[in-house]
Amino acid sequence: MFIGRQGALCGNVSYYDGQCYATEHAVVTKCLDVVIPRFAFHLLTAMNLNQYKSSGAQPGLAVGKLNMIQIILPDIEEQRRVVEVLDEFDTLANDISQGLPAEIEARRKQYAYYRDKLLTFKEKVA
């Protein structure tokens, strides 16, 4: 994972798998065996690391500040469960080939529900 260290992307978390090149404007992280990398990504993203930046014309995020942050870490099985759910939501929200068909199907079901509700009339006796 990368954590933006300076500038407009200060505190942003990006996930990658494989080799890459990082500049001095990013903090490169590596997970210990007790942390699933995708869990760490979701956790760090939710933590809004931008709040720890220094103020000024060019905001910066000191590695020392990041090292002082404490987190509660659930066991590996709970991490897997969280990753499964959040990755699924991430796919639906950000992958148009997955999210759009799911959204269309949800709207079709919603349409059918309201159509059936609105077009069900009780017989009026005169």
Side-chain angles (χ1 to χ4, degrees), residues 4-16:
R5 196 180 71 73
Q6 280 186 313
L9 298 179
C10 182
N12 284 19
V13 181
S14 298
Y15 183 84
Y16 73 94

Side-chain angles (χ1 to χ4, degrees), residues 71-89:
I71 61 169
I72 297 172
L73 194 61
D75 62 57
I76 292 289
E77 286 307 313
E78 180 68 8
Q79 290 180 44
R80 281 190 185 104
R81 187 185 73 74
V82 168
V83 167
E84 184 178 316
V85 171
L86 293 179
D87 279 353
E88 179 69 23
F89 278 118

Side-chain angles (χ1 to χ4, degrees), residues 14-60:
S14 298
Y15 183 84
Y16 73 94
D17 189 18
Q19 292 186 335
C20 61
Y21 174 79
T23 69
E24 69 276 2
H25 298 288
V27 176
V28 179
T29 63
K30 183 177 178 184
C31 291
L32 302 174
D33 291 339
V34 295
V35 183
I36 296 171
R38 287 294 295 173
F39 178 82
F41 165 73
H42 290 298
L43 180 65
L44 291 172
T45 300
M47 290 175 66
N48 182 26
L49 297 177
N50 187 271
Q51 68 180 311
Y52 300 107
K53 72 181 179 192
S54 62
S55 58
Q58 181 74 347

